[in-house]
Amino acid sequence: MSPLITGEAVVLELRPASFAARSLGLVLDVVVHTALLIAILMAMGAARDELDEAAATALTLVSVVLCFVMVPATVETLTRGLSLGKLAAGLRIVRDDGGAIRFRHAVIRALIGFLEIYLTFGGVAIAVALFDGRSRRLGDIVAGTYSLRRRVPVEPTIVPVMPRHLAGWAHAADIGRIPDALGRRAAQFMRQAPRMSPLSRSGMAAALATEMSGYVAPSPPPGTTPDDYLAAVLAERRARELRRLGAARTESNRIGERLHRLPYTASGDS
């Protein structure tokens, strides 16, 4: 996976496409571009008899550049990294920082792609992608891009569970001063914790619990582990937010009913 760190120090896992998925998308794009070139050459067939050899060669070269360079670059620019092959394979081309590609990225990929895919029958692209950690071909390395998986299975939402022995303490604790950014980082940690190594998990839990303890009072009962502490605070924070939203919805409905019962007064009558 390719980690992307946001301004709040939350690590987002972006999943690069596998070599097989990239190969499938590339083959489909090559078929589409080749079919487009054949269609253009067939349409030019009738006019070829009226042209000399130099003009016919020039038109053929222009058609090749159009189908194998200009069309791919234009399509990827307008669709922000998509093409027919990538749509079918569930892929998207993005910058190394995870952002959408621009015209210069698409042009570099298309120009180098013409050399490494069409002139070498894909040999250079395959050789480079096999030895790259993110299955990038030469055009991606030069342009600073890579292929991202768009169809990633949705992970189930993990709701923090209140530890029974901390329920009374959490219910009475003052947790309203916890910054939203810290709360999001703690929630992100709880979602990723099952996939972390025990050493990394314990270290990050301890760091988050220490940081959060500066905004929570009173201190938890002695012997509380960092994992239980975070789970209790986040569960209570979520419960209070749900109660607040429920109360606001009830109040809004009550006001709406009162306004609905008010008599309607027509204006503009003399």
Side-chain angles (χ1 to χ4, degrees), residues 124-211:
V124 174
I126 294 174
V128 174
L130 283 174
F131 291 97
D132 185 79
R134 290 186 285 184
S135 300
R136 296 178 299 174
R137 59 179 177 85
L138 184 60
D140 288 311
I141 296 175
V142 176
T145 61
Y146 71 102
S147 186
L148 179 71
R149 289 178 54 188
R150 296 173 59 241
R151 299 171 185 169
V152 179
V154 179
E155 298 183 356
T157 302
I158 299 178
V159 179
V161 179
M162 173 69 70
R164 293 185 179 181
H165 64 285
L166 295 178
W169 166 81
H171 185 70
D174 178 13
I175 61 175
R177 297 181 297 116
I178 298 177
D180 290 338
L182 176 57
R184 286 193 291 269
R185 284 163 47 207
Q188 180 76 8
F189 163 75
M190 297 297 291
R191 288 193 293 269
Q192 295 182 348
R195 302 191 300 271
M196 299 174 64
S197 65
L199 184 61
S200 298
R201 173 174 178 168
S202 60
M204 186 170 291
L208 287 171
T210 300
E211 184 177 357

Side-chain angles (χ1 to χ4, degrees), residues 14-58:
L14 303 181
R15 302 187 181 184
S18 64
F19 178 79
R22 290 214 62 176
S23 300
L24 174 60
L26 179 60
V27 169
L28 293 175
D29 282 336
V30 169
V31 170
V32 171
H33 300 154
T34 304
L36 177 62
L37 176 62
I38 293 174
I40 293 176
L41 293 179
M42 291 179 62
M44 293 169 48
R48 228 174 243 261
D49 298 335
E50 303 176 2
L51 300 175
D52 56 24
E53 184 177 352
T57 302

Side-chain angles (χ1 to χ4, degrees), residues 80 158 180 223 227 230 262:
R80 294 177 174 266
I158 299 178
D180 290 338
D227 291 275
L230 294 175
L262 290 177

